[in-house]
Amino acid sequence: MPAISFVLLPGRHHLVTAFQVARLREILDGEARDEGGVAVDMADGAAIVWAPTSATHHGTRRNPVPANRREAMIEAASDAAGLISLVAPVPDVRRSPRFATTVVRSASLTLGVELDPATTVVACSTPEVAALYRELGYRIVAVEDSRDPEPARPWNVLELAVADATGWRDLVDPAALAYLERYRLIDLIRTVHTDPTVSADGD
């Protein structure tokens, strides 16, 4: 199989976990296998493509943090970890069988590169989402479900942060945490999640 140039990481990306950064480093270093057990051979200079979905939607429980803040947090975490990263925000669209196609085409257009199955693997641990990319011919590399027991996923960590549960900060990438605290984004997330007038999708 040809060497892979891009690792597509779709998601809402309201925070970045320490595990995510460690796992992405493993993938870029060629230490990961796809779901079929085949080693993922990475090209020199391969990059992570973060695709924050619902980039045109914020201020709700589903998407509390604006896309520009998410993008800056990803850049801060990537720079601190020495990850080669590209960020390609994806507009808010309804979940449909064409969701993966929309993400790929939007990210490819934003970055000016072709994120096709020959050059790209998809890092994903959400079965229904992974299935959409698999149908398009992409190889899937597990993230959280590459471990047993599974580490907390970003949304789980966000919920722990809302509850101010003990130890939640230890689960967040340090550079991402510093950014979230600098801009008081945890306060924003808590306000959005606890305000009874705010719904999952409404303003």
Side-chain angles (χ1 to χ4, degrees):
M1 291 186 178
I4 295 297
S5 298
F6 302 104
V7 179
L8 177 62
L9 185 67
R12 283 176 280 175
H13 301 311
H14 291 287
L15 56 74
V16 177
T17 67
F19 175 77
Q20 277 183 308
V21 170
R23 180 57 173 161
L24 292 171
R25 169 52 59 200
E26 287 181 352
I27 297 171
L28 287 182
D29 287 347
E31 299 173 2
R33 295 180 178 273
D34 65 20
E35 61 184 352
V38 179
V40 179
D41 182 22
M42 302 303 299
D44 291 340
I48 306 295
V49 175
W50 302 72
T53 55
S54 301
T56 53
H57 181 238
H58 66 89
T60 68
R61 291 177 192 167
R62 178 164 64 92
N63 289 296
V65 180
N68 65 311
R69 295 297 191 205
R70 289 183 262 166
E71 181 170 356
M73 176 191 60
I74 291 166
E75 296 283 9
S78 296
D79 287 348
L83 297 177
I84 301 174
S85 290
L86 302 168
V87 184
V90 179
D92 189 41
V93 294
R94 291 180 180 273
R95 187 61 60 87
S96 77
R98 293 183 56 79
F99 176 76
T101 299
T102 299
V103 172
V104 170
R105 288 183 177 175
S106 177
S108 295
L109 181 63
T110 296
L111 300 175
V113 298
E114 287 299 324
L115 301 174
D116 57 45
T119 62
T120 308
V121 295
V122 176
C124 181
S125 285
T126 305
E128 59 271 25
V129 175
L132 298 176
Y133 290 96
R134 193 180 302 115
E135 290 174 3
L136 297 178
Y138 290 89
R139 298 163 66 192
I140 307 299
V141 179
V143 185
E144 287 82 13
D145 55 359
S146 67
R147 299 291 191 271
D148 184 16
E150 291 186 16
R153 302 181 185 216
W155 192 257
N156 301 133
V157 178
L158 184 142
E159 291 177 329
L160 293 174
V162 169
D164 200 17
T166 301
W168 72 265
R169 287 178 174 81
D170 297 333
L171 301 175
V172 184
D173 171 77
L177 179 61
Y179 181 86
L180 290 168
E181 293 183 333
R182 185 188 318 153
Y183 285 95
R184 302 175 62 93
L185 293 176
I186 295 300
D187 292 342
L188 169 64
I189 292 168
R190 285 181 181 143
T191 298
V192 170
H193 274 253
T194 58
D195 189 332
T197 68
V198 177
S199 67
D201 291 309
D203 294 334

